[in-house]
Amino acid sequence: LIASLRAVRPDFTLLPSADAQSMGMAALHTLGLNPCKGFGPIEGTFHYGYGYSALSSKDRLKELVYSQTFRRVPYASVNVVNSSYYEYAVAQRLVERARIRLVGDPVPQASHIGQHAARLRLGLETSGRYLGLLGSLDRRKAVPELLAAFRAAKLGPNDRLLLAGRMDPTYAALIANEYHDLVGDGRIVVMDRFLTHAELECGYEAIDLATIVYYKFPGLASLALKAVAAGTPLIAHDFGWLRMAIRRFEL
């Protein structure tokens, strides 16, 4: 980032994912160095932070790093995506009130083509009920626990679990080794590939219940916003932004 600033010498800089690099910027500023000086105003947009969700000592240590980053980063403006963390930052006065603002995570208006049509577009069986998690199925998502819960629930033969999106290889191996019977029966439907925005939109309209489950993830979940836009109820982990959103807005 510093090399880019020096090479381009911009009049204005917007950092859309400023979390990690800003920790370095704040550390340099603490040491009396300001690598941003002389390059025009810089805005940073932040996605993470624990705030009131810091329950364990590890969480509190992480939050200490985030809090010090907010206090010391030499940006003209600090944008926060996570509304619960924004409320925490304002209450704790981590940044001067004039320099911090809440920014939205954009979600396109859903087309609302109907569940049947949405399933047809994705090539899904149109009958029965679907639970689903669609999007990047990376290591932050509690896919193993979701699979185990689906098997243990002993649902009907027309109740299915849809997992769609680019999948972590360990999760793909787990499904191949331990859940091949449910895949063979059509109970678990896997689409292990990148999904377009249109496919995500159809996917969340096609399912009956969105299962937005992460491992202790405190941040805003854009997948949950897509489910809400599609009018689909969701079940999620009881932690962080999702806990706040579900309780405050009765999602």
Side-chain angles (χ1 to χ4, degrees):
L1 172 60
I2 294 170
S4 297
L5 290 172
R6 287 173 176 169
V8 178
R9 304 198 70 81
D11 300 302
F12 174 82
T13 303
L14 173 64
L15 308 177
S17 296
D19 298 80
Q21 56 201 333
S22 297
M23 292 177 185
M25 288 289 205
L28 290 173
H29 200 220
T30 301
L31 295 173
L33 305 173
N34 186 356
C36 303
K37 191 173 181 180
F39 295 115
I42 296 178
E43 281 193 21
T45 300
F46 292 80
H47 298 261
Y48 302 116
Y50 278 79
Y52 297 118
S53 299
L55 304 179
S56 68
S57 56
K58 185 177 180 180
D59 295 345
R60 287 190 288 272
L61 180 60
K62 289 180 179 179
E63 179 48 43
L64 178 62
V65 173
Y66 269 98
S67 295
Q68 292 305 312
T69 297
F70 269 63
R71 285 194 169 102
R72 298 172 188 270
V73 75
Y75 295 163
S77 180
V78 173
N79 306 322
V80 184
V81 173
N82 181 343
S83 52
S84 63
Y85 194 76
Y86 169 80
E87 292 171 359
Y88 172 83
V90 170
Q92 298 297 316
R93 299 180 180 177
L94 300 186
V95 183
E96 296 91 338
R97 190 67 182 84
R99 287 202 302 127
I100 186 171
R101 60 185 174 182
L102 178 67
V103 295
D105 188 280
V107 178
Q109 179 65 43
S111 60
H112 296 296
I113 61 174
Q115 189 178 80
H116 183 83
R119 290 180 179 183
L120 283 176
R121 284 194 184 181
L122 289 177
L124 300 174
E125 170 60 49
T126 57
S127 64
R129 300 184 299 178
Y130 282 87
L131 302 163
L133 176 57
L134 300 88
S136 177
L137 301 176
D138 53 54
R139 297 296 290 273
R140 298 176 304 161
K141 313 295 194 307
V143 172
E145 287 78 3
L146 179 58
L147 288 164
F150 181 72
R151 185 188 287 280
K154 296 182 174 59
L155 298 172
N158 290 325
D159 293 325
R160 303 178 180 89
L161 172 62
L162 173 63
L163 296 173
R166 191 170 290 159
M167 184 177 291
D168 185 277
T170 59
Y171 292 169
L174 173 68
I175 292 171
N177 293 331
E178 299 184 23
Y179 295 92
H180 54 86
D181 57 325
L182 294 179
V183 174
D185 291 340
R187 300 284 315 288
I188 293 178
V189 180
V190 177
M191 298 169 61
D192 185 2
R193 60 176 178 80
F194 178 80
L195 301 178
T196 66
H197 286 294
E199 287 175 322
L200 271 176
E201 181 182 306
C202 277
Y204 279 106
E205 191 164 354
I207 61 179
D208 298 281
L209 180 66
T211 49
I212 313 295
V213 285
Y214 289 73
Y215 290 116
K216 206 176 182 183
F217 177 64
L220 180 145
S222 60
L223 300 181
L225 294 181
K226 289 177 173 59
V228 172
T232 301
L234 58 94
I235 185 169
H237 58 265
D238 188 21
F239 184 74
W241 178 87
L242 266 167
R243 172 192 176 102
M244 178 279 298
I246 287 175
R247 294 190 173 199
R248 185 176 297 181
F249 302 108
E250 299 181 350
L251 305 182

